Amino acid sequence: MATDNKIQFWRRNAKVPGRFLKDAPKPNTLAIKSKKASSFHEFARSTNDAWDIGDDEDDDFLGAARLSSLPPPLPSTPQPPVPPQSSSNNLNVTEAPQTDSRAPQKPECGRDQAKTDSRPTNGRVVKSCSEAQLSTAAVRSPLQKQQSLPVRPIIPLVARISDQNASGAPPMTVREKSRLDKFRQLLASPNTDLEELRKHSWSGIPREVRPITWRLLSGYLPANMERRELVLKRKREEYFGFIEQYYHSRTDEHHRDTYRQIHIDIPRTNPLIPLFQQPLVQEVFERILFIWAIRHPASGYVQGINDLVTPFFVVFLSEFVEEDVENFEVSALPLETQRNIEADSFWCMSKLLDGIQDNYTFAQPGIQIKVKALEELVSRIDEDVHSHFQRYEVEYLQFAFRWMNNLLMRELPLRCTIRLWDTYQAEAEGFSHFHLYVCAAFLIEWRKEILSMVDFQGLLMLLQNLPTIHWGNEEVGLLLAEAYRLKYMFADAPNHYRR
């Protein structure tokens, strides 16, 4: 009976991430208790429907995919890339709580009629709904996902993606100008000192130099300045060579399920941010994820990997965008710029995943090891919290699985994720080993709220809906400082589980 109750809890609860409910759930008045899962597979079976959606969301997706065109080649006379804009403006993408908006609205594109527009279509990566609006001769979009997914309302949120603290600090202080000058000096040297660059990046990277710094710290670009342009050109051409060689196979029987899952997951990626609901952006993400999946058959595509593209995409887009990124129409960029952002996002995401790929292989052993290490670490850091979980039979796997799978991206606003990744790029094994201590510090941050909850369901709902929407650089900085302290005070705690 307890197991049945636990399964029903995951199926019925509206707050489970990724769950789109067609009808409002009835209040559950039963006291739900959890029993220890005898295996990881039992846990997976009891939660795997949290991502399920109706069949209407992917009807005819394979037929539509067969009509989808590849990104067009560059024109013989490519347009010059848009120069980076002034650094005085902040990157303003909002991150909303993981809630759903299902109010019926008109689709962005008509099914039977294309809208006209005076803008040229030369700067497009793919043919999409947005492109159909720009040509009277265009037909409706080949991809169907925007027809089944309602247009999300633009919700004004207090916290935006910016380099300001939540308290509203000025955009550029004397200290920040000095730090920016130091970064520019390091980046302008013939051979960038990567160790020195990591040292300065640990406490945050200025927005103006974040794209080039991320490319260097991820290992995508060489430290030698003279080689960078050549490497960028070669790697970008290599990525689009993969597109030409493999992307058409997404409808083949062998890859059909992979593409179907990617196609379903993409609209769920930051669903309240208009940027990520643009058909062109969604098609970019589909190509990135599909090419990565077929080039890594040991893991393939796993739900959650789609989230890991977004910080890279936003950071590389910010080089060319002065206004709010959340509402920016990516199709307004020149074709070459669009292609460069896509290719760079693919390669940097690939570099990240190279260090944590065992998180996504069969049975996800990397995540299981990290969750167990987190449990042992918390038991040593805060015995009260650990005992509280035991008393109410809360398993770490029930909340920390997502923390490891999505690198806390579902728990933090996107602006905080970008700041967090500045440090992860600078820290040795940042996305794997140091992330464990960040998760421990993040958990203990909420100890008061955790200890005040005296039932299983309340604890689980708290841990899955922690109120971080107003967090900024200051809160992330304190979190990272605490994680750094824990790393050196309890460095031996997770060694038994490290790989």
Coordinates of all heavy atoms in Angstrom, one line a residue, residues 403-477:
W403 N 19.0 17.2 -8.9 CA 20.1 18.2 -8.6 C 21.4 17.7 -9.4 O 22.1 18.6 -9.9 CB 20.4 18.2 -7.1 CG 19.3 18.8 -6.3 CD1 18.0 19.1 -6.7 CD2 19.4 19.2 -4.9 NE1 17.3 19.6 -5.6 CE2 18.2 19.7 -4.5 CE3 20.5 19.2 -4.0 CZ2 17.9 20.1 -3.2 CZ3 20.2 19.6 -2.7 CH2 18.9 20.1 -2.3
M404 N 21.6 16.4 -9.5 CA 22.8 15.9 -10.2 C 22.5 15.8 -11.7 O 23.4 16.1 -12.5 CB 23.2 14.5 -9.6 CG 23.5 14.5 -8.1 SD 24.8 15.6 -7.6 CE 24.8 15.4 -5.9
N405 N 21.3 15.4 -12.0 CA 21.0 15.2 -13.5 C 21.0 16.6 -14.2 O 21.4 16.6 -15.4 CB 19.7 14.5 -13.6 CG 19.4 14.1 -15.0 OD1 20.1 13.3 -15.6 ND2 18.3 14.6 -15.5
N406 N 20.5 17.6 -13.6 CA 20.3 18.9 -14.2 C 21.3 20.0 -13.7 O 21.1 21.1 -14.0 CB 18.9 19.4 -14.1 CG 17.9 18.5 -14.7 OD1 17.4 17.5 -14.0 ND2 17.6 18.7 -15.9
L407 N 22.2 19.6 -12.8 CA 23.2 20.5 -12.3 C 22.6 21.7 -11.6 O 23.0 22.8 -11.8 CB 24.2 21.0 -13.4 CG 25.0 19.9 -14.0 CD1 25.9 20.4 -15.1 CD2 25.9 19.1 -13.0
L408 N 21.5 21.5 -10.9 CA 20.7 22.5 -10.1 C 20.1 23.5 -11.0 O 19.6 24.5 -10.5 CB 21.6 23.2 -9.1 CG 22.1 22.4 -7.9 CD1 23.0 23.3 -7.0 CD2 20.9 22.0 -7.0
M409 N 20.0 23.2 -12.3 CA 19.3 24.2 -13.2 C 17.8 24.3 -13.0 O 17.3 25.4 -13.3 CB 19.6 23.8 -14.7 CG 21.1 24.1 -15.1 SD 21.3 24.0 -16.8 CE 20.3 25.3 -17.4
R410 N 17.2 23.3 -12.5 CA 15.8 23.4 -12.1 C 15.5 24.1 -10.8 O 14.4 24.5 -10.5 CB 15.1 22.0 -12.1 CG 15.2 21.3 -13.5 CD 14.4 21.9 -14.5 NE 14.5 21.2 -15.8 CZ 13.8 20.2 -16.2 NH1 12.9 19.6 -15.4 NH2 14.0 19.6 -17.4
E411 N 16.6 24.2 -10.0 CA 16.4 24.9 -8.7 C 16.8 26.3 -8.7 O 16.4 27.1 -7.7 CB 17.3 24.1 -7.7 CG 16.7 22.8 -7.2 CD 16.4 21.8 -8.2 OE1 17.3 21.5 -9.1 OE2 15.3 21.2 -8.2
L412 N 17.6 26.8 -9.6 CA 18.1 28.2 -9.6 C 17.7 28.9 -10.9 O 17.5 28.3 -12.0 CB 19.6 28.2 -9.6 CG 20.3 27.6 -8.3 CD1 21.8 27.5 -8.5 CD2 20.0 28.4 -7.1
P413 N 17.5 30.2 -10.8 CA 17.2 31.0 -12.0 C 18.4 30.9 -13.0 O 19.5 30.7 -12.6 CB 17.0 32.4 -11.5 CG 16.7 32.3 -10.0 CD 17.4 31.0 -9.6
L414 N 18.1 31.1 -14.2 CA 19.2 31.0 -15.2 C 20.3 31.9 -15.0 O 21.5 31.5 -15.3 CB 18.6 31.2 -16.6 CG 19.5 30.9 -17.8 CD1 20.1 29.5 -17.8 CD2 18.7 31.1 -19.1
R415 N 20.1 33.1 -14.6 CA 21.1 34.1 -14.3 C 22.1 33.5 -13.2 O 23.3 33.7 -13.3 CB 20.6 35.4 -13.8 CG 19.9 35.4 -12.5 CD 19.2 36.6 -12.1 NE 18.5 36.4 -10.8 CZ 17.4 35.8 -10.7 NH1 16.7 35.4 -11.8 NH2 16.8 35.6 -9.5
C416 N 21.5 32.8 -12.2 CA 22.3 32.2 -11.2 C 23.1 31.0 -11.7 O 24.3 30.8 -11.3 CB 21.5 31.8 -10.0 SG 20.7 33.1 -9.1
T417 N 22.5 30.2 -12.6 CA 23.2 29.1 -13.2 C 24.5 29.6 -14.0 O 25.6 29.0 -13.9 CB 22.3 28.3 -14.2 OG1 21.3 27.8 -13.4 CG2 23.1 27.3 -14.9
I418 N 24.3 30.7 -14.7 CA 25.4 31.2 -15.5 C 26.6 31.7 -14.5 O 27.7 31.4 -14.8 CB 25.0 32.4 -16.4 CG1 24.1 31.8 -17.5 CG2 26.1 33.2 -17.0 CD1 23.5 32.9 -18.4
R419 N 26.2 32.3 -13.5 CA 27.2 32.7 -12.5 C 27.9 31.5 -11.8 O 29.1 31.5 -11.6 CB 26.6 33.6 -11.4 CG 27.4 33.9 -10.2 CD 28.7 34.6 -10.5 NE 29.6 34.6 -9.3 CZ 30.5 33.7 -9.1 NH1 30.7 32.7 -9.9 NH2 31.3 33.8 -8.0
L420 N 27.1 30.5 -11.5 CA 27.6 29.3 -10.9 C 28.6 28.6 -11.9 O 29.6 28.1 -11.5 CB 26.4 28.3 -10.6 CG 26.7 27.1 -9.8 CD1 27.0 27.5 -8.4 CD2 25.5 26.2 -9.8
W421 N 28.2 28.6 -13.2 CA 29.1 28.0 -14.1 C 30.4 28.7 -14.4 O 31.4 28.1 -14.8 CB 28.4 27.8 -15.5 CG 27.4 26.6 -15.4 CD1 26.8 26.1 -14.3 CD2 26.8 25.9 -16.5 NE1 25.9 25.1 -14.6 CE2 26.0 24.9 -16.0 CE3 27.0 26.0 -17.9 CZ2 25.3 24.0 -16.8 CZ3 26.3 25.1 -18.7 CH2 25.5 24.1 -18.1
D422 N 30.4 30.0 -14.1 CA 31.7 30.7 -14.1 C 32.7 30.0 -13.2 O 33.9 29.8 -13.5 CB 31.6 32.2 -13.6 CG 30.9 33.1 -14.6 OD1 30.7 32.7 -15.8 OD2 30.5 34.2 -14.2
T423 N 32.2 29.7 -12.0 CA 33.1 29.0 -11.0 C 33.3 27.6 -11.4 O 34.5 27.0 -11.2 CB 32.5 29.1 -9.6 OG1 32.3 30.4 -9.2 CG2 33.3 28.3 -8.6
Y424 N 32.3 26.9 -11.9 CA 32.5 25.5 -12.3 C 33.6 25.4 -13.4 O 34.3 24.4 -13.5 CB 31.2 24.9 -12.8 CG 30.2 24.5 -11.7 CD1 30.5 24.7 -10.4 CD2 29.0 23.9 -12.0 CE1 29.6 24.3 -9.4 CE2 28.1 23.5 -11.0 CZ 28.4 23.7 -9.7 OH 27.6 23.3 -8.7
Q425 N 33.6 26.4 -14.3 CA 34.6 26.4 -15.4 C 36.0 26.6 -14.8 O 37.0 26.1 -15.4 CB 34.3 27.5 -16.4 CG 32.9 27.3 -17.1 CD 33.0 26.6 -18.4 OE1 34.0 25.9 -18.7 NE2 32.0 26.8 -19.2
A426 N 36.0 27.3 -13.7 CA 37.4 27.7 -13.1 C 37.9 26.6 -12.2 O 39.1 26.5 -12.0 CB 37.3 29.0 -12.4
E427 N 36.9 25.9 -11.6 CA 37.3 24.9 -10.5 C 37.7 23.5 -11.2 O 37.0 23.1 -12.2 CB 36.1 24.7 -9.6 CG 36.3 23.7 -8.5 CD 37.2 24.2 -7.4 OE1 37.3 25.4 -7.2 OE2 37.8 23.3 -6.7
A428 N 38.7 22.9 -10.7 CA 39.0 21.6 -11.1 C 37.9 20.6 -10.9 O 37.4 20.6 -9.8 CB 40.3 21.1 -10.4
E429 N 37.5 19.9 -11.9 CA 36.3 19.0 -11.8 C 35.1 19.7 -11.2 O 34.3 19.2 -10.4 CB 36.6 17.8 -10.9 CG 37.8 16.9 -11.3 CD 38.0 15.7 -10.4 OE1 38.6 16.0 -9.3 OE2 37.7 14.6 -10.8
G430 N 34.9 20.9 -11.8 CA 33.8 21.7 -11.3 C 32.4 21.1 -11.4 O 31.6 21.2 -10.5
F431 N 32.2 20.6 -12.6 CA 30.8 20.0 -12.9 C 30.6 18.7 -12.3 O 29.5 18.2 -12.3 CB 30.6 20.0 -14.4 CG 30.5 21.3 -15.1 CD1 31.6 21.9 -15.7 CD2 29.3 22.0 -15.0 CE1 31.5 23.2 -16.3 CE2 29.2 23.3 -15.6 CZ 30.3 23.8 -16.3
S432 N 31.6 18.0 -11.8 CA 31.5 16.7 -11.2 C 31.7 16.7 -9.7 O 30.8 16.7 -8.9 CB 32.4 15.7 -11.9 OG 33.8 16.2 -11.9
H433 N 32.9 16.9 -9.3 CA 33.3 16.8 -7.9 C 32.8 18.0 -7.1 O 32.2 17.9 -6.0 CB 34.8 16.5 -7.7 CG 35.2 16.3 -6.3 ND1 34.6 15.3 -5.6 CD2 36.1 16.9 -5.6 CE1 35.2 15.3 -4.4 NE2 36.1 16.3 -4.3
F434 N 33.2 19.2 -7.6 CA 32.8 20.4 -6.8 C 31.3 20.6 -6.7 O 30.8 21.1 -5.7 CB 33.5 21.6 -7.4 CG 33.3 22.9 -6.6 CD1 33.9 23.0 -5.3 CD2 32.6 23.9 -7.0 CE1 33.8 24.1 -4.5 CE2 32.4 25.1 -6.2 CZ 33.0 25.2 -5.0
H435 N 30.6 20.2 -7.7 CA 29.1 20.3 -7.7 C 28.5 19.6 -6.5 O 27.5 20.0 -6.0 CB 28.6 19.7 -9.0 CG 27.1 19.7 -9.1 ND1 26.4 20.9 -9.2 CD2 26.2 18.7 -9.1 CE1 25.1 20.6 -9.2 NE2 24.9 19.3 -9.2
L436 N 29.2 18.5 -6.1 CA 28.7 17.7 -4.9 C 28.7 18.6 -3.7 O 27.7 18.7 -2.9 CB 29.6 16.5 -4.7 CG 29.4 15.8 -3.3 CD1 28.1 15.1 -3.3 CD2 30.5 14.8 -3.1
Y437 N 29.7 19.4 -3.5 CA 29.8 20.3 -2.3 C 28.8 21.5 -2.4 O 28.3 22.0 -1.4 CB 31.2 20.8 -2.1 CG 32.1 19.7 -1.8 CD1 32.9 19.1 -2.7 CD2 32.2 19.2 -0.5 CE1 33.8 18.0 -2.4 CE2 33.1 18.2 -0.1 CZ 33.9 17.6 -1.1 OH 34.7 16.6 -0.8
V438 N 28.6 21.9 -3.7 CA 27.6 23.0 -3.9 C 26.2 22.5 -3.5 O 25.4 23.2 -2.9 CB 27.6 23.5 -5.4 CG1 26.4 24.4 -5.7 CG2 28.9 24.2 -5.7
C439 N 25.9 21.2 -3.9 CA 24.6 20.6 -3.5 C 24.5 20.5 -2.0 O 23.4 20.8 -1.5 CB 24.4 19.3 -4.2 SG 24.2 19.3 -6.0
A440 N 25.5 20.1 -1.3 CA 25.5 20.0 0.1 C 25.3 21.4 0.8 O 24.4 21.5 1.7 CB 26.8 19.4 0.6
A441 N 26.0 22.4 0.3 CA 25.8 23.8 0.8 C 24.4 24.3 0.5 O 23.8 24.9 1.3 CB 26.8 24.7 0.2
F442 N 23.9 23.9 -0.7 CA 22.5 24.3 -1.1 C 21.5 23.7 -0.1 O 20.5 24.4 0.3 CB 22.3 23.9 -2.5 CG 21.0 24.4 -3.1 CD1 20.7 25.8 -3.3 CD2 20.0 23.5 -3.5 CE1 19.5 26.2 -3.8 CE2 18.8 24.0 -4.0 CZ 18.6 25.3 -4.2
L443 N 21.7 22.4 0.2 CA 20.7 21.8 1.1 C 20.7 22.4 2.5 O 19.7 22.6 3.1 CB 21.1 20.3 1.1 CG 20.2 19.4 2.0 CD1 18.7 19.4 1.5 CD2 20.7 18.0 2.1
I444 N 21.9 22.6 3.0 CA 22.0 23.1 4.4 C 21.5 24.6 4.4 O 21.1 25.0 5.5 CB 23.5 23.0 4.9 CG1 24.0 21.6 4.8 CG2 23.6 23.6 6.3 CD1 23.0 20.6 5.5
E445 N 21.6 25.3 3.3 CA 21.0 26.6 3.3 C 19.6 26.7 3.7 O 19.1 27.7 4.3 CB 21.1 27.2 1.8 CG 20.4 28.5 1.5 CD 21.1 29.7 2.2 OE1 22.3 29.5 2.5 OE2 20.5 30.7 2.3
W446 N 18.8 25.6 3.5 CA 17.4 25.5 3.8 C 17.1 24.7 5.1 O 16.0 24.2 5.3 CB 16.7 24.9 2.6 CG 17.0 25.6 1.4 CD1 17.8 25.2 0.4 CD2 16.4 26.9 0.9 NE1 17.9 26.2 -0.6 CE2 17.0 27.2 -0.3 CE3 15.5 27.8 1.5 CZ2 16.8 28.4 -1.0 CZ3 15.3 29.0 0.8 CH2 15.9 29.2 -0.5
R447 N 18.1 24.5 6.0 CA 18.0 23.6 7.1 C 16.8 24.0 8.0 O 16.1 23.2 8.5 CB 19.3 23.5 7.9 CG 19.6 24.7 8.8 CD 20.9 24.5 9.6 NE 21.0 23.2 10.3 CZ 20.5 23.0 11.5 NH1 19.9 24.0 12.1 NH2 20.7 21.8 12.1
K448 N 16.6 25.3 8.2 CA 15.5 25.8 9.1 C 14.2 25.4 8.5 O 13.3 24.9 9.2 CB 15.6 27.3 9.2 CG 14.5 27.9 10.1 CD 14.6 29.4 10.2 CE 13.5 30.0 11.1 NZ 13.6 31.5 11.2
E449 N 14.0 25.6 7.2 CA 12.7 25.2 6.6 C 12.6 23.7 6.6 O 11.4 23.2 6.8 CB 12.7 25.7 5.1 CG 12.6 27.2 5.0 CD 13.9 28.0 5.1 OE1 14.9 27.3 5.4 OE2 13.9 29.2 5.0
I450 N 13.7 23.0 6.4 CA 13.6 21.5 6.3 C 13.2 21.0 7.7 O 12.3 20.1 7.8 CB 15.0 20.9 5.9 CG1 15.2 21.2 4.5 CG2 15.0 19.4 6.2 CD1 16.6 20.9 4.0
L451 N 13.8 21.5 8.8 CA 13.5 21.0 10.1 C 12.1 21.3 10.6 O 11.5 20.7 11.5 CB 14.5 21.5 11.1 CG 16.0 21.0 10.9 CD1 16.9 21.6 11.9 CD2 16.0 19.5 11.0
S452 N 11.5 22.4 9.9 CA 10.1 22.8 10.3 C 9.1 21.9 9.7 O 7.9 21.9 10.1 CB 9.9 24.2 9.9 OG 9.8 24.4 8.5
M453 N 9.5 21.1 8.7 CA 8.5 20.2 8.0 C 8.5 18.9 8.7 O 9.5 18.3 8.9 CB 8.9 20.0 6.5 CG 8.7 21.2 5.7 SD 7.0 21.6 5.4 CE 7.1 23.1 4.5
V454 N 7.3 18.4 9.1 CA 7.2 17.2 9.9 C 6.4 16.1 9.2 O 5.7 15.3 9.8 CB 6.6 17.5 11.3 CG1 7.6 18.4 12.1 CG2 5.2 18.2 11.1
D455 N 6.4 16.1 7.9 CA 5.8 15.0 7.1 C 6.5 14.8 5.8 O 7.2 15.7 5.3 CB 4.3 15.3 6.9 CG 4.1 16.5 5.9 OD1 4.2 17.6 6.4 OD2 3.9 16.2 4.7
F456 N 6.4 13.6 5.3 CA 7.1 13.2 4.1 C 6.7 14.1 2.9 O 7.6 14.6 2.2 CB 6.8 11.8 3.8 CG 7.2 11.3 2.4 CD1 8.5 11.0 2.1 CD2 6.3 11.3 1.3 CE1 8.9 10.6 0.8 CE2 6.7 10.9 0.1 CZ 8.0 10.6 -0.2
Q457 N 5.5 14.3 2.7 CA 5.1 15.1 1.5 C 5.5 16.5 1.6 O 6.0 17.1 0.6 CB 3.5 15.0 1.3 CG 3.0 15.7 0.1 CD 1.6 15.5 -0.2 OE1 0.9 14.7 0.6 NE2 1.0 16.1 -1.2
G458 N 5.4 17.1 2.8 CA 5.8 18.5 2.9 C 7.3 18.7 2.7 O 7.7 19.6 2.0
L459 N 8.1 17.7 3.2 CA 9.5 17.8 2.9 C 9.9 17.7 1.5 O 10.7 18.5 0.9 CB 10.2 16.7 3.7 CG 10.5 16.9 5.2 CD1 10.9 15.7 5.9 CD2 11.7 18.0 5.3
L460 N 9.2 16.7 0.8 CA 9.5 16.5 -0.6 C 9.1 17.7 -1.5 O 9.8 18.2 -2.4 CB 8.9 15.3 -1.1 CG 9.6 14.5 -2.2 CD1 11.0 14.2 -1.8 CD2 8.9 13.2 -2.6
M461 N 7.9 18.3 -1.2 CA 7.5 19.5 -1.9 C 8.4 20.7 -1.7 O 8.7 21.5 -2.6 CB 6.1 19.8 -1.5 CG 5.0 18.9 -2.1 SD 5.0 18.9 -3.9 CE 6.0 17.4 -4.2
L462 N 8.9 20.8 -0.4 CA 9.8 21.9 -0.1 C 11.1 21.8 -1.0 O 11.6 22.7 -1.6 CB 10.2 21.9 1.3 CG 11.3 22.8 1.8 CD1 11.0 24.3 1.6 CD2 11.7 22.6 3.2
L463 N 11.7 20.5 -1.0 CA 12.9 20.3 -1.6 C 12.8 20.4 -3.1 O 13.8 20.6 -3.8 CB 13.5 18.9 -1.2 CG 13.9 18.8 0.2 CD1 14.0 17.3 0.6 CD2 15.2 19.6 0.5
Q464 N 11.6 20.3 -3.7 CA 11.4 20.4 -5.1 C 11.0 21.7 -5.6 O 10.9 22.0 -6.8 CB 10.4 19.3 -5.6 CG 10.9 17.9 -5.5 CD 9.9 16.9 -5.8 OE1 8.7 17.2 -6.0 NE2 10.3 15.6 -6.0
N465 N 10.7 22.6 -4.6 CA 10.2 24.0 -5.0 C 10.8 25.0 -4.0 O 10.1 25.8 -3.4 CB 8.7 24.0 -4.9 CG 8.0 23.1 -5.8 OD1 7.8 23.4 -7.0 ND2 7.7 21.9 -5.3
L466 N 12.2 25.0 -3.9 CA 12.8 25.9 -3.1 C 12.8 27.3 -3.6 O 13.0 27.5 -4.8 CB 14.3 25.5 -2.9 CG 14.5 24.2 -2.1 CD1 15.9 23.7 -2.3 CD2 14.1 24.3 -0.7
P467 N 12.5 28.3 -2.8 CA 12.2 29.7 -3.3 C 13.5 30.5 -3.6 O 14.0 31.3 -2.8 CB 11.4 30.3 -2.1 CG 11.9 29.6 -0.9 CD 12.2 28.2 -1.3
T468 N 14.0 30.3 -4.8 CA 15.2 31.0 -5.2 C 15.0 32.0 -6.3 O 16.0 32.5 -6.9 CB 16.3 29.9 -5.7 OG1 15.7 29.3 -6.9 CG2 16.6 28.9 -4.6
I469 N 13.8 32.3 -6.6 CA 13.5 33.2 -7.8 C 14.2 34.5 -7.7 O 14.5 35.2 -8.7 CB 12.0 33.3 -8.1 CG1 11.7 34.0 -9.4 CG2 11.3 34.0 -6.9 CD1 12.3 33.4 -10.6
H470 N 14.4 35.0 -6.4 CA 14.9 36.3 -6.2 C 16.5 36.3 -6.0 O 17.1 37.3 -5.7 CB 14.3 37.0 -5.1 CG 12.8 37.3 -5.3 ND1 12.3 38.1 -6.2 CD2 11.7 36.7 -4.7 CE1 11.0 38.1 -6.2 NE2 10.6 37.3 -5.3
W471 N 17.1 35.1 -6.1 CA 18.5 35.0 -5.9 C 19.3 35.8 -7.0 O 18.8 35.9 -8.1 CB 18.9 33.6 -5.9 CG 18.7 32.9 -4.6 CD1 17.8 33.1 -3.7 CD2 19.6 31.8 -4.1 NE1 17.9 32.2 -2.6 CE2 19.0 31.4 -2.8 CE3 20.7 31.1 -4.6 CZ2 19.6 30.4 -2.1 CZ3 21.2 30.1 -3.8 CH2 20.7 29.8 -2.5
G472 N 20.4 36.3 -6.6 CA 21.3 37.0 -7.5 C 22.8 36.6 -7.2 O 23.0 35.6 -6.6
N473 N 23.7 37.4 -7.7 CA 25.1 37.1 -7.5 C 25.5 37.0 -6.1 O 26.4 36.2 -5.8 CB 25.9 38.2 -8.2 CG 26.0 38.0 -9.7 OD1 25.4 37.1 -10.3 ND2 26.7 39.0 -10.4
E474 N 24.9 37.8 -5.2 CA 25.4 37.7 -3.8 C 25.0 36.4 -3.2 O 25.9 35.8 -2.5 CB 24.6 38.8 -3.0 CG 25.0 38.9 -1.6 CD 24.3 40.0 -0.8 OE1 23.7 40.9 -1.5 OE2 24.4 40.0 0.4
E475 N 23.8 35.9 -3.4 CA 23.4 34.6 -2.9 C 24.3 33.4 -3.5 O 24.7 32.5 -2.8 CB 22.0 34.3 -3.1 CG 21.0 35.2 -2.3 CD 20.8 36.6 -2.9 OE1 21.4 36.9 -3.9 OE2 20.1 37.4 -2.2
V476 N 24.5 33.5 -4.8 CA 25.4 32.5 -5.4 C 26.8 32.5 -4.9 O 27.4 31.5 -4.6 CB 25.3 32.6 -6.9 CG1 26.3 31.6 -7.6 CG2 23.9 32.4 -7.5
G477 N 27.3 33.7 -4.7 CA 28.7 33.9 -4.1 C 28.8 33.2 -2.7 O 29.8 32.6 -2.4

